Amino acid sequence: MKTFRCSCDNKQLLFFESSSCVSCQRVVGLDDAFNKVEPYDFDEESGCYFKARRPAARYQKCDNNADYNVCNGMVNLDDLVPEDGNDEVLCFACRFNETVPDLSIVEHIPLWKKMEAAKRRALYTLKALSLPLRNLRQDPENGLSFDFTTDRDVNDHFVSKLDYSESVFTGHDCGHITINLAEADDVARSQTKYAMNERYRTLLGHFRHELGHYYFDQLIVGSEKKNALSKECFGDDELDYQESLKKYYENKPADNWRDEFISEYATMHPYEDWAETWAHYMHIMDTLETAKNFSITGSITGDAADAEETDELNLPQDSKFFYSQTSITSVLDAWMEFSVILNSLNRSMGMNDAYPFVLSQPVRKKLSFIHHAIHNKFSLIKS
Ligand SMILES: [Zn+2]
Ligand SMILES: [Zn+2]
Ligand SMILES: [Zn+2]
């Protein structure tokens, strides 16, 4: 993720999540291009916002920004296509929402805000990678949508079941992603993490994992050739899923699972292996982009000769990102170095490792497959 600068005299640092500038107090936000957080001025006469660099265009805050402060989306009113009987003004990210949490329960609002922050970050990297990203209105058949809902009581950290609610399972089904609101509650999520003996469980991880399932359908399923290549890399995805699930919870995976898989859950079924590996690819790309933004990608940064090597990383913020020679090897080598720095920084703060994973050679191969699937460069896959 990049950081941004306000246009005020202080050139104040702005973050992806910023909704106002702490120096000049102006409203800041993200428009539909979803690549720049910048300041907006308010025009009393029209009651709209505008950008100084583009004064003719009129903007309004997304309803979820104005009413609940759960996003920092700004909507260009000229691009707005009103639907019959619907005068909602929603930003790029909020237009993917099908169901938001029950807002009559005020305790849901801060948790919803965490959900939106994770969703927006996950979407940013997908957009930066030029992956197809269409909501249900743009593509009723293959569009992407989100349900944020729960079947449990927020007041006891989601322990008690709500009488009136159907069960809610976090998962993906034909472009429809459900995330249980309980995952936004730190107590509830930590309890699940320890109960499941997981080393990493975050909201952002959930989004990236479920989006991985969606993009398997979008990038792989339609092509016989890609399907065959995927089977070679991840195993046969036609294996009975329910059977694999049952087996996974009955028997622990073999002790040496790390030799072939990024996580224990990835051992369950080739679908889950793909989704887990996809999530890691996104974690790596986002975190390296952040590191590069602050010039801390490890020993490969520094003098002029090394700067050339850093350029080869082809991270989303680089204009050269779509070079055909985009090298996953340099990305993963940089990641190996940087993740050591990242974990060491965490240890200095008395915290657990941020990236408690090992990238074995087979895992690197799977990450490479995903990289080439994203860039549609299957011809570059080396066996
Ligand atoms: Zn400012
Ligand atoms: Zn919004
Ligand atoms: Zn999954």
Side-chain angles (χ1 to χ4, degrees):
M1 176 58 70
K2 296 180 277 189
T3 49
F4 309 89
R5 292 279 172 189
C6 188
S7 58
C8 58
D9 290 345
N10 282 347
K11 296 271 174 273
Q12 180 63 44
L13 187 65
L14 303 173
F15 296 96
F16 185 67
E17 297 81 8
S18 298
S19 55
S20 66
C21 170
V22 294
S23 279
C24 69
Q25 319 300 330
R26 270 184 297 173
V27 164
V28 305
L30 263 173
D31 69 10
D32 276 11
F34 220 58
N35 60 6
K36 193 169 193 248
V37 173
E38 58 189 320
Y40 289 78
D41 292 298
F42 190 67
D43 175 45
E44 298 283 350
E45 206 174 299
S46 62
C48 295
Y49 289 90
F50 65 95
K51 295 176 187 177
R53 66 180 175 89
R54 211 183 146 198
R58 292 278 165 261
Y59 292 83
Q60 203 172 306
K61 282 185 179 182
C62 167
D63 287 350
N64 293 339
N65 182 359
D67 300 343
Y68 300 102
N69 189 28
V70 296
C71 78
N72 60 354
M74 301 297 290
V75 184
N76 184 339
L77 297 178
D78 307 328
D79 296 343
L80 196 67
V81 189
E83 273 182 291
D84 283 345
N86 184 356
D87 55 3
E88 271 185 322
V89 175
L90 293 177
C91 68
F92 169 76
C94 289
R95 290 199 292 271
F96 288 94
N97 292 350
E98 271 290 284
T99 315
V100 300
D102 178 353
L103 300 177
S104 67
I105 301 169
V106 291
E107 291 82 1
H108 283 174
I109 297 171
L111 299 179
W112 180 32
K113 183 170 183 166
K114 287 190 196 175
M115 201 73 109
E116 290 295 337
K119 183 190 80 183
R120 294 164 73 75
R121 182 169 282 259
L123 294 182
Y124 163 83
T125 310
L126 299 172
K127 205 160 194 283
L129 289 165
S130 290
L131 281 157
L133 202 45
R134 291 180 299 270
N135 61 42
L136 274 187
R137 214 187 319 157
Q138 294 164 314
D139 185 350
E141 210 159 298
N142 293 310
L144 179 65
S145 63
F146 294 97
D147 263 4
F148 304 140
T149 179
T150 189
D151 50 358
R152 291 180 184 264
D153 190 347
V154 63
N155 292 304
D156 64 2
H157 296 292
F158 299 89
V159 172
S160 316
K161 186 105 171 53
L162 298 171
D163 303 332
Y164 55 85
S165 171
E166 280 180 31
S167 295
V168 173
F169 297 102
T170 293
H172 165 262
D173 182 22
C174 301
H176 196 75
I177 290 175
T178 303
I179 313 262
N180 194 319
L181 192 64
E183 294 293 339
D185 181 280
D186 292 342
V187 173
R189 194 183 58 258
S190 301
Q191 275 168 351
T192 315
K193 182 182 166 202
Y194 287 105
M196 313 264 281
N197 196 24
E198 291 173 345
R199 308 194 76 188
Y200 176 93
R201 189 179 183 93
T202 65
L203 261 187
L204 184 56
H206 281 304
F207 277 99
R208 288 182 169 154
H209 175 102
E210 302 306 338
L211 284 160
H213 287 304
Y214 173 67
Y215 283 102
F216 184 80
D217 291 351
Q218 299 304 305
L219 303 179
I220 305 295
V221 167
S223 151
E224 221 172 280
K225 187 187 150 208
K226 292 175 190 177
N227 250 312
L229 286 167
S230 167
K231 280 186 172 61
E232 271 174 37
C233 195
F234 292 91
D236 186 359
D237 51 271
E238 283 165 56
L239 266 175
D240 189 288
Y241 188 88
Q242 291 308 324
E243 189 64 26
S244 304
L245 186 70
K246 206 170 139 242
K247 259 198 223 154
Y248 175 75
Y249 286 113
E250 277 171 7
N251 320 301
K252 280 188 76 65
D255 287 343
N256 62 347
W257 61 264
R258 280 184 190 80
D259 295 350
E260 305 270 342
F261 299 92
I262 190 66
S263 70
E264 228 173 297
Y265 192 59
T267 65
M268 199 264 267
H269 188 275
Y271 273 146
E272 299 307 336
D273 193 9
W274 163 280
E276 285 287 274
T277 312
W278 175 281
H280 276 259
Y281 180 84
M282 295 297 157
H283 294 332
I284 291 169
M285 293 315 259
D286 183 5
T287 309
L288 278 180
E289 190 189 26
T290 309
K292 196 179 173 194
N293 179 76
F294 290 105
S295 309
I296 46 168
T297 29
S299 58
I300 53 162
T301 54
D303 61 34
D306 288 343
E308 223 168 78
E309 223 178 300
T310 325
D311 278 349
E312 278 176 22
L313 290 179
N314 292 314
L315 297 171
Q317 67 193 19
D318 294 336
S319 53
K320 293 189 291 184
F321 193 59
F322 295 104
Y323 269 24
S324 58
Q325 63 268 45
T326 299
S327 160
I328 183 67
T329 308
S330 60
V331 169
L332 295 180
D333 288 349
W335 177 246
M336 298 299 253
E337 284 187 38
F338 183 69
S339 58
V340 172
I341 301 177
L342 181 65
N343 289 343
S344 304
L345 289 171
N346 264 33
R347 288 177 194 187
S348 292
M349 287 297 296
M351 292 166 76
N352 293 334
D353 286 355
Y355 194 75
F357 301 97
V358 178
L359 300 186
S360 65
Q361 201 49 41
V363 169
R364 283 177 69 112
K365 211 177 132 193
K366 291 174 193 177
L367 284 162
S368 170
F369 184 88
I370 283 177
H371 179 75
H372 291 112
I374 288 171
H375 298 283
N376 202 14
K377 297 278 180 217
F378 285 92
S379 55
L380 296 179
I381 292 174
K382 296 186 194 93
S383 50

